[in-house]
Amino acid sequence: MSIINIPFETMGLSKTIRLKQYFISFLRHSTIRKLFNFLKIEFQILIKSDRVSGMPYILKVENTNICNFKCPVCYENRKKHDFEGARGYGRMGLQDFQKIVDELSPWVYRINLYGFGEPFLFDEIFEMIRYATNHNISVAITSNFNTVANDKIDKILDSGLEHLVISIDGVDQKTYEKYQVGGDYDKVISNIQMLVEAKKKKKKKYPIVDWQFLIMRHNYHLQDKAARIAKSLGIGIRFSRIGVDLTNDKECSEWLPDINIREQLNFEDRLIEKQENIPLCTWLYRTAFINWDLGVSPCCNYYTGEKQYDFGNLQAKSFSVIWNGDSYVEARRIFKVRKSNCSNENICHKCIEKRKRMMESLPRQSEK
């Protein structure tokens, strides 16, 4: 098991460059306390502890779940918040964000400050970035970069943001808006050009800027062209695989590339096919997802709009209490005993059962 978990989906940048970026960030924000916590967490992953003595060293914090796009496969677009028990749409207040940082900054290396919305919609994002940066935390944001006007460019550069990932899933308006519905390709390219130029003028080292290109049925053949455009813009590029509900035949047929492409690029269905067992979920040790209303979710790989699946809420309890509360302990125990015998209301139980069904429905490698 890798100690430093380099994102597997980042394929555009060379491994050497990516390792260097992560290692520099790790050193830049490291303290003795953070390093000791990091080692404790990694050890407890190895022994599959259900109660954790350390704290997560990476956070994903959603400043808003409001978005200006209507991407078809996004969880937010699949199901609206119009039912009893729905989280609803909103934005995190600065004081709530500061509360998170105040409690967890002694252990956290990085905050991914985005969720299911567009992070640059609201200007308090810049104060959030600065507050985390002032507490020795690296901040990364993924954005569609369509809402960024001239006045926000300087704010981004002066905020302390360390890593900016810009989602562009095409190389012209036609291929771009096929998935990123509501977006303007020329506008996002123009905004990148403004950012890169301003960054040069200010002689700023950060943020590191990467283009994220989701590989899908309609655009997989455009990777080389996207890489050339990224190079001309002076930014990096990373190619990621689109995630779809593998039990939804319509989604699969519309968005997934042909099987030979999926095999080459290790799409999820090809990885599941090769698995004998469900691997340990390290989200339950290294990371947590905090929704805009302070609801704590174990991860963001499911629709988080149903509050009944929260593991707790920071308005009612501290994170340290939630982290070793019944829901987290129950979820970690699944992987320890290799049985999904926890409550049916625990979202990790539902996730595992769904993955089992997918594993059973796909032909095993040994059967071919």
Side-chain angles (χ1 to χ4, degrees):
M1 181 178 296
S2 174
I3 293 295
I4 299 179
N5 189 25
I6 302 301
F8 182 66
E9 72 276 7
T10 304
M11 299 180 286
L13 297 173
S14 74
K15 287 184 178 179
T16 303
I17 293 173
R18 286 188 284 117
L19 281 168
K20 182 179 178 182
Q21 287 179 359
Y22 277 81
F23 185 65
I24 290 173
S25 181
F26 185 84
L27 292 179
R28 189 179 183 214
H29 301 284
S30 202
T31 64
I32 296 298
R33 193 176 186 182
K34 286 184 180 182
L35 182 59
F36 183 57
N37 176 72
F38 170 83
L39 295 173
K40 280 200 298 185
I41 290 295
E42 293 302 319
F43 175 72
Q44 286 168 100
I45 290 173
L46 291 174
I47 64 173
K48 299 176 183 174
S49 176
D50 48 20
R51 293 187 181 273
V52 181
S53 62
M55 300 290 269
Y57 54 82
I58 300 172
L59 293 179
K60 190 162 185 179
V61 180
E62 177 182 71
N63 71 311
T64 183
N65 63 348
I66 300 169
C67 190
N68 54 321
F69 278 17
K70 298 293 182 184
C71 302
V73 182
C74 177
Y75 288 116
E76 288 295 322
N77 204 42
R78 291 175 183 167
K79 187 174 183 179
K80 302 301 181 185
H81 295 246
D82 57 359
F83 55 92
E84 186 177 351
R87 192 176 307 282
Y89 297 100
R91 56 205 266 204
M92 182 178 290
L94 178 60
Q95 289 186 336
D96 286 338
F97 180 78
Q98 290 171 335
K99 177 182 177 180
I100 296 166
V101 172
D102 290 345
E103 181 178 359
L104 294 170
S105 61
W107 302 280
V108 172
Y109 279 94
R110 182 182 180 102
I111 291 178
N112 294 317
L113 190 49
Y114 59 93
F116 293 108
E118 168 49 43
F120 287 127
L121 276 178
F122 305 109
D123 280 357
E124 60 263 24
I125 189 71
F126 302 111
E127 295 178 82
M128 292 176 175
I129 298 168
R130 175 50 60 191
Y131 193 79
T133 300
N134 288 344
H135 284 74
N136 191 29
I137 299 174
S138 168
V139 179
I141 280 180
T142 293
S143 166
N144 61 50
F145 224 54
N146 266 240
T147 66
V148 179
N150 287 343
D151 62 319
K152 289 188 178 181
I153 296 295
D154 284 341
K155 290 180 180 179
I156 291 171
L157 294 173
D158 296 335
S159 67
L161 182 64
E162 192 164 298
H163 192 189
L164 173 61
V165 179
I166 301 172
S167 297
I168 315 172
D169 301 326
V171 296
D172 52 35
Q173 184 61 28
K174 182 179 179 180
T175 53
Y176 175 71
E177 68 179 353
K178 166 76 174 175
Y179 183 72
Q180 291 178 287
V181 180
D184 184 330
Y185 176 81
D186 290 336
K187 184 174 184 179
V188 71
I189 296 298
S190 175
N191 287 342
I192 292 171
Q193 290 169 333
M194 284 193 295
L195 176 69
V196 171
E197 185 61 30
K199 185 179 170 185
K200 288 178 182 176
K201 285 183 179 178
K202 285 177 171 281
K203 297 181 180 179
K204 293 278 189 179
K205 185 176 181 180
Y206 297 103
I208 295 167
V209 183
D210 288 328
W211 169 344
Q212 178 168 273
F213 184 102
L214 277 185
I215 300 170
M216 296 174 259
R217 177 178 288 274
H218 72 281
N219 69 3
Y220 71 89
H221 61 290
L222 299 173
Q223 293 175 69
D224 288 344
K225 186 171 183 179
R228 291 195 296 271
I229 297 172
K231 185 176 181 180
S232 72
L233 291 169
I235 62 175
I237 188 165
R238 46 195 270 179
F239 297 99
S240 302
R241 299 166 290 271
I242 188 171
V244 301
D245 181 354
L246 293 176
T247 64
N248 186 320
D249 292 339
K250 184 177 183 297
E251 278 190 13
C252 291
S253 63
E254 185 171 0
W255 299 106
L256 288 182
D258 292 338
I259 189 168
N260 60 322
I261 303 297
R262 304 203 305 276
E263 190 75 49
Q264 291 172 27
L265 301 179
N266 284 325
F267 268 71
E268 185 183 16
D269 64 323
R270 313 325 300 155
L271 294 176
I272 290 175
E273 181 182 318
K274 299 169 186 176
Q275 290 174 349
E276 296 297 328
N277 294 302
I278 296 171
L280 177 70
C281 180
T282 57
W283 270 88
L284 297 170
Y285 297 86
R286 294 171 173 156
T287 317
F289 181 66
I290 303 176
N291 296 275
W292 70 267
D293 65 347
L294 300 187
V296 178
S297 300
C299 74
C300 58
N301 295 320
Y302 68 99
Y303 174 71
T304 62
E306 296 182 65
K307 293 193 289 185
Q308 64 171 319
Y309 297 125
D310 287 358
F311 280 12
N313 193 292
L314 294 175
Q315 295 183 39
K317 298 177 182 178
S318 68
F319 185 88
S320 59
V321 170
I322 295 170
W323 188 234
N324 278 305
D326 292 344
S327 295
Y328 263 112
V329 171
E330 197 173 44
R332 295 184 189 113
R333 194 166 288 158
I334 300 173
F335 297 95
K336 187 174 184 177
V337 300
R338 287 294 173 188
K339 292 179 182 178
S340 57
N341 59 349
C342 71
S343 166
N344 288 340
E345 294 307 308
N346 190 306
I347 191 64
C348 295
H349 168 89
K350 295 180 181 294
C351 176
I352 285 179
E353 289 302 307
K354 182 176 181 179
R355 196 169 183 90
K356 280 182 177 179
R357 290 194 299 272
M358 288 190 291
M359 289 174 71
E360 290 168 359
S361 67
L362 291 168
R364 310 255 52 85
Q365 283 289 99
S366 59
E367 297 173 359
K368 291 184 177 180

